[in-house]
Amino acid sequence: MHAIELETGVSSELQAVALRFLGDRIAAREPEGIGLARWSENNRPVTPAAVTRIDDFPALQLFDDPVQSQVAAFGLAEAAGMLRPYALRLKTEAGRITEVEEIVSTACQGHFADAPRLLKPDVLYAAPVPAHRAADREQLQAVADSYWTALQESDGSLARFAYRCDRYDNGKKITNNLSILLSEDAAVHTPASCLNATRPARPVARNRRYPVLDTRLGVAVSFVLVDFHPAPSLNRPDCGTFYMAALFKITDGEIRSLDEIREIIPLGSQQSW
C-alpha cells in the first residue's frame, strides 16, 4: 500500500475515518459497517463489490467539516495502471460511514484534463487564512455559490473572483494557458471569460451541495450537476451533464483558486444525492 500523503495532515477523527476507508479501497476490503451506507460512483448507486478497483492513491488532500460530519478528498487514484482524477465525500454518524460519494474520472488527458498534474497538490488549499481575511460559514457558501450562479447565467461578472484566481479541471490549468490559446478556443481565458464562453451550451447548475465549509482554511467543497446542452457553434463533443466536485479557496470574500474534478455523464441524469 502506498503511504497516502496528505497536504493538510491528519488532524481530525473525520480525516482518520477517511484514511481508513481509502486504505480499505486499496486493499479491496469492504470497509467496516459499509453495508449500511449509501454508495455512489460517478452518480451511479453501487455496492462495495461493484466499485472500480483502485490500486493506489498517489496524491490526495483531505478537508473536513465537523459541523456536518462530512469529509472530502481530492486528488488521484491509480486504477488498472492509469492515473485518474478522484474526488470523495464521506458522511458519518457516530463514527460510522453512512454516505459514500465518489468521482473516479475517465477524463485523464485532453483539453480539460491533465491528470499527472494532480501528483503535486496545491499547498495553497492547506494554508490557514488570517482572521482578518477569513469568511464565516455562510459567507464561504455564498462565495462558492456565486460561481455556480455565474456559470448558469454564463456571466463571469456574477462570480466573486480574486485578481490572482486560476481554475483547474481534472488537473489541467484552464486559465492563462498558452496551449488553450493555440487550440480552437484561441483564447487566454480568465476565470470569468471561461464562464462567459459557456452561453451557447445553456448550462444549468443543479443539486448544489456544500458538504465542507472550513473557515480556518477558507475552503469550500461543493458537489454539483451541470447540464451542458449541445451547441454546434462550440464545435465540441463534450456536452452532457458534468458531475463535479469543486474545491474553492476563498480569501477576502473572493475565490482565490478553484479545482474541479469531473466526469461527463448522460445529459439530464438524475441526481443520486
Side-chain angles (χ1 to χ4, degrees):
M1 171 178 166
H2 188 281
I4 300 173
E5 296 180 3
L6 303 174
E7 300 293 334
T8 50
V10 180
S11 58
S12 72
E13 293 182 8
L14 283 168
Q15 290 193 18
V17 169
L19 276 179
R20 288 194 296 272
F21 172 85
L22 293 165
D24 288 338
R25 286 289 269 122
I26 294 172
R29 291 192 299 260
E30 181 171 309
E32 182 180 353
I34 203 68
L36 302 176
R38 292 176 58 198
W39 194 332
S40 74
E41 181 184 306
N42 295 348
N43 200 50
R44 302 186 317 274
V46 291
T47 64
V51 296
T52 296
R53 174 76 172 90
I54 293 176
D55 301 312
D56 200 0
F57 292 103
L60 286 177
Q61 290 178 302
L62 288 186
F63 305 93
D64 60 74
D65 186 334
V67 174
Q68 301 185 81
S69 296
Q70 299 198 60
V71 58
F74 285 78
L76 276 176
E78 184 177 337
M82 179 178 292
L83 293 177
R84 298 176 61 174
Y86 177 81
L88 167 71
R89 178 187 67 85
L90 296 179
K91 184 173 183 179
T92 70
E93 291 181 10
R96 298 175 67 87
I97 297 172
T98 58
E99 295 181 0
V100 181
E101 182 175 7
E102 288 185 297
I103 300 175
V104 188
S105 182
T106 59
C108 305
Q109 292 286 346
H111 192 73
F112 286 111
D114 191 355
R117 296 290 185 182
L118 292 165
L119 285 168
K120 297 180 179 179
D122 195 335
V123 296
L124 179 68
Y125 292 108
V129 176
H132 67 285
R133 302 180 64 182
D136 61 25
R137 294 176 59 86
E138 183 177 346
Q139 292 167 334
L140 285 174
Q141 180 167 327
V143 173
D145 198 62
S146 77
Y147 177 78
W148 301 126
T149 296
L151 174 58
Q152 181 160 291
E153 298 298 324
S154 298
D155 183 352
S157 70
L158 300 178
R160 305 181 197 176
F161 291 122
Y163 171 71
R164 295 179 180 273
C165 183
D166 276 306
R167 178 186 131 191
Y168 303 81
D169 286 8
N170 280 14
K172 177 75 172 282
K173 186 178 183 184
I174 303 303
T175 51
N176 302 302
N177 187 324
L178 180 60
S179 71
I180 293 179
L181 173 63
L182 299 176
S183 74
E184 290 185 6
D185 277 15
V188 177
H189 281 298
T190 66
S193 72
C194 285
L195 302 183
N196 296 340
T198 66
R199 182 170 294 277
R202 296 168 288 123
V204 177
R206 54 189 173 91
N207 195 30
R208 309 179 198 181
R209 293 170 290 127
Y210 301 90
V212 174
L213 299 167
D214 187 326
T215 58
R216 185 180 72 89
L217 297 180
V219 161
V221 172
S222 180
F223 281 72
V224 68
L225 296 173
V226 183
D227 298 327
F228 287 94
H229 301 86
S233 62
L234 289 180
N235 191 31
R236 301 233 316 233
D238 52 355
C239 62
T241 292
F242 280 46
Y243 177 42
M244 292 193 286
L247 175 61
F248 297 91
K249 182 73 174 187
I250 296 169
T251 62
D252 306 301
E254 298 175 316
I255 301 169
R256 172 63 180 82
S257 188
L258 166 61
D259 270 75
E260 295 174 341
I261 302 295
R262 54 88 177 165
E263 175 76 352
I264 301 177
I265 59 179
L267 183 61
S269 292
Q270 295 300 305
Q271 61 206 42
S272 290
W273 299 97

